[in-house]
Amino acid sequence: MKNSTIYCIAIPSPLGKIFATATADVVTGLYFEGQKYFPATLPPLTESNAILKKLQKEIDDYFAGKRNSFSAELQPHGTPFQQHVWQALQGIPRGKTLTYSEIAAQLGLPTATRAVAGAIGRNPISIVIPCHRVIGKDGSLTGYAGGVERKAALLRLEQDNLLF
């Protein structure tokens, strides 16, 4: 990380305000207002820097159904285990879902479903690291820090706007 200054902006979305944080080089956070595990303190809102301007445009395009992926470099803060889980989430394509147990098995940890679910719930970069694409074994929309209603809306958006 070249510059340790953290920039913070609020991005309006159809699902409520989203707070984005970044350095000059990498995105460090993307949180729905009021979500579980929302940071206790965010930096003060700042003028957008280049990486946040690009992220905001990509988030706008995502909600407009014009984007399947994001290009910003990410640096979520977490334990090595959490980082491993979050990396796996980035392999779930738009419009697809996996279960928590499938993610655990994919990571070679078939008995660690609860630990994997806990790491998924702590994902600090919502939408871009698509934790909303992980569902319960029975197909239920369980455990989304941004709220189950938002999870359902994101999955509907992705199903309705597949660009393939």
Side-chain angles (χ1 to χ4, degrees):
M1 194 170 7
K2 297 174 193 167
N3 180 344
S4 61
T5 301
I6 301 291
Y7 301 88
C8 181
I9 62 168
I11 301 172
S13 87
L15 302 179
K17 195 180 300 183
I18 303 171
F19 292 93
T21 58
T23 66
D25 307 306
V26 295
V27 173
T28 58
L30 195 63
Y31 309 93
F32 282 106
E33 185 172 37
Q35 82 174 45
K36 190 173 183 180
Y37 307 121
F38 191 84
T41 58
L42 278 175
L45 293 179
T46 58
E47 286 190 33
S48 191
N49 66 3
I51 197 161
L52 287 173
K53 284 179 184 172
K54 181 178 180 180
L55 177 65
Q56 182 166 5
K57 168 79 169 101
E58 291 183 358
I59 291 291
D60 291 344
D61 287 349
Y62 169 83
F63 280 110
K66 300 176 184 174
R67 175 164 290 281
N68 278 333
S69 61
F70 298 89
S71 63
E73 185 176 339
L74 309 178
Q75 190 173 57
H77 296 285
T79 67
F81 177 75
Q82 289 171 327
Q83 299 277 346
H84 189 54
V85 172
W86 300 334
Q87 187 66 41
L89 297 179
Q90 293 176 66
I92 306 171
R94 181 185 176 116
K96 304 290 182 194
T97 58
L98 290 177
T99 67
Y100 294 94
S101 58
E102 287 172 327
I103 296 288
Q106 200 177 73
L107 294 171
L109 303 166
T111 60
T113 300
R114 281 190 158 173
V116 166
I120 291 170
R122 296 271 184 180
N123 171 22
I125 305 180
S126 297
I127 302 171
V128 178
I129 298 177
C131 55
H132 60 279
R133 296 180 188 152
V134 184
I135 60 173
K137 195 175 207 171
D138 63 358
S140 62
L141 302 183
T142 62
Y144 186 61
V148 174
E149 302 80 19
R150 284 184 178 134
K151 183 174 193 166
L154 292 170
L155 291 173
R156 270 193 314 275
L157 171 78
E158 291 182 358
Q159 286 295 323
D160 292 346
N161 295 300
L162 287 176
L163 300 177
F164 308 108

